[in-house]
Amino acid sequence: MPDKPSVLFVCVHNAGRSQMASAYLTHLAGESVEVRSAGSMPAEHVNPVVVEVMAEEGIDISAETPKVLTVDAVQASDVVITMGCGDVCPVFPGKRYLDWRLDDPAGQGVDAVRLVRDEIRARVETLVAELAAGRHGGGHRYL
């Protein structure tokens, strides 16, 4: 059986978008995908409004902490999804790179963050289907 695919979500602070995306992928794909998230300039803690709107979905991310983006994390990932961090993410051959343009939830109210959350969920659901079909960049079937 092939190794499971790995996905890295990257945003600037690793306090909002990438935390929501990694939580959804873990929730929807379970143990079948290795999930990472990181930030180019990580915050001290996850945005409390993000924690709140994810709790509405039954997903508890209150214990998560922002992590710094490392070259090792990128090298260890099959799919790298950036969310507004620009060109700070190192590029390696053989990886699938996606750029999800999403509003930053920083400083936003609950209603605005819910919209971002719902967009992320839809994109993660599509990603899960692509990974299940083996479209992660390496051509193997996963999930």
Side-chain angles (χ1 to χ4, degrees), residues 15-93:
R17 294 166 289 189
S18 57
Q19 291 285 348
M20 287 189 280
S22 63
Y24 270 129
L25 184 54
T26 299
H27 179 75
L28 296 171
E31 302 269 329
S32 62
V33 177
E34 186 175 352
V35 182
R36 299 177 181 89
S37 71
S40 55
M41 297 184 333
E44 290 184 30
H45 54 79
V46 175
N47 180 331
V49 178
V50 168
V51 173
E52 179 183 341
V53 300
M54 291 304 289
E56 293 172 357
E57 296 281 289
I59 300 172
D60 180 8
I61 63 169
S62 61
E64 296 297 326
T65 56
K67 295 163 274 316
V68 68
L69 176 64
T70 66
V71 170
D72 290 342
V74 177
Q75 285 181 313
S77 301
D78 298 309
V79 181
V80 179
I81 300 173
T82 58
M83 304 173 175
C85 60
D87 296 330
V88 299
C89 191
V91 176
F92 295 98

Side-chain angles (χ1 to χ4, degrees), residues 95-117:
K95 310 288 179 200
R96 178 178 176 202
Y97 291 86
L98 301 171
D99 184 33
W100 290 358
R101 299 195 184 274
L102 299 159
D103 290 337
D104 189 344
Q108 301 295 318
V110 172
D111 290 337
V113 176
R114 281 185 188 124
L115 294 173
V116 175
R117 175 201 66 196

